[in-house]
Amino acid sequence: MRIDVATIFPEYLDPLRHALLGKAIEQGRLNVGVHDLRSWATGAHKTVDDSPAGGGPGMVMKPEVWGPALDDIAAGNTEGSELASALPHLNRPRHDELEGIGGHSYEPTGEDSSLPLLLVPTPTGKPFTQDDARQWSHEEHIVFACGRYEGIDQRVIDDAHKRYRVREVSIGDYVLIGGEVAVLVIAEAVVRLIPGVLGNKRSHEEDSFSDGLLEGPSYTKPRVWRELEIPEVLTSGNHGLVDRWRREQSLKRTFERRPELLAGAHLDKADIKYLEGLGWTSA
Ligand code: ADE
């Protein structure tokens, strides 16, 4: 996969070099380019924003800067912006290749799936979900356009449809100063699902949301810590009981914290009985 990010704060994206993403870069599974939007700005002051048409507070990012930037990035006409991994991981043996992660059937009709995917983080976008992360983990080329201030002139987004499949996405119902942190969030959620990047396949098959439920609690050794014991079933060696216990913990947590998710989850008879025992009633 290749990820390009256009931003007026390239250093904000430095965390992409570290940890999991840095490792993916080293493994050659990921290439990342971070591009300073100002290098497409013209004029003595390299201005990237202007006052909103129709008046009002804040500033809007200029189409004359974003247009050429997105044209060049789509065409691969960018140099010297390649991000190197910060990690010396290359010599570590790897024995955890992933396989069999579901294919994608996501494209709305009429879109050319060979076009790169342009993701524009904005609080007015569609909520980003684990399902998006799963689908986008199969993309060859994702470009992020980081807006600041009051956003990017809408014509940039409209025009970008000629060269990209465009998605405006929000990472939650709150307002950040700009899209950079959202890019870090989305990139991490997507890259960890690229086959081979994460340690083992089960760890994301059991992720929260992957079956529509939240994951339950986890424990490790020692068995007793500060007088608190690991739930007995987990040290019983009975895998059937462990699986059922985990399922119930997952149902219980989802019921307590995100009951609205239960409506969309696959529940069998035993799940429903357990939930009803907790006071859940299916609508
Ligand atoms: N930019 C500002 N706020 C945002 C949000 N909630 N999600 C994505 N991008 C943003």
Side-chain angles (χ1 to χ4, degrees), residues 213 247 251 262-272 275 280 282:
L213 298 173
R247 180 75 182 171
L251 291 163
L262 292 172
H266 293 292
L267 304 174
D268 64 19
K269 273 192 186 148
D271 294 337
I272 291 168
L275 282 166
W280 178 70
S282 57

Side-chain angles (χ1 to χ4, degrees), residues 10 114 184 202 204 234 256:
S114 69
L184 296 176
R202 265 189 77 189
H204 57 70
L234 296 179
E256 288 168 354

Side-chain angles (χ1 to χ4, degrees), residues 68-161:
L70 293 180
D71 292 346
D72 285 344
I73 293 169
N77 293 335
T78 52
E79 260 174 35
S81 50
E82 219 62 21
L83 216 59
S85 167
L87 292 173
H89 269 115
L90 271 179
N91 297 328
R92 297 251 181 104
R94 300 202 61 84
H95 48 80
D96 50 12
E97 294 301 301
L98 302 192
E99 45 188 67
I101 294 172
H104 60 145
S105 55
Y106 176 69
E107 305 312 334
T109 47
E111 278 191 324
D112 176 354
S113 64
S114 69
L115 295 176
L117 184 68
L118 177 67
L119 300 181
V120 187
T122 160
T124 65
K126 263 184 78 178
F128 172 63
T129 65
Q130 185 66 16
D131 218 35
D132 295 322
R134 215 173 286 128
Q135 278 153 357
W136 297 343
S137 71
H138 299 278
E139 291 288 337
E140 258 169 51
H141 189 192
I142 300 180
V143 178
F144 289 97
C146 294
R148 286 249 144 188
Y149 320 121
E150 301 305 305
I152 302 171
D153 187 301
Q154 188 63 38
R155 291 168 295 175
V156 173
I157 317 297
D158 298 344
D159 176 69
H161 281 93

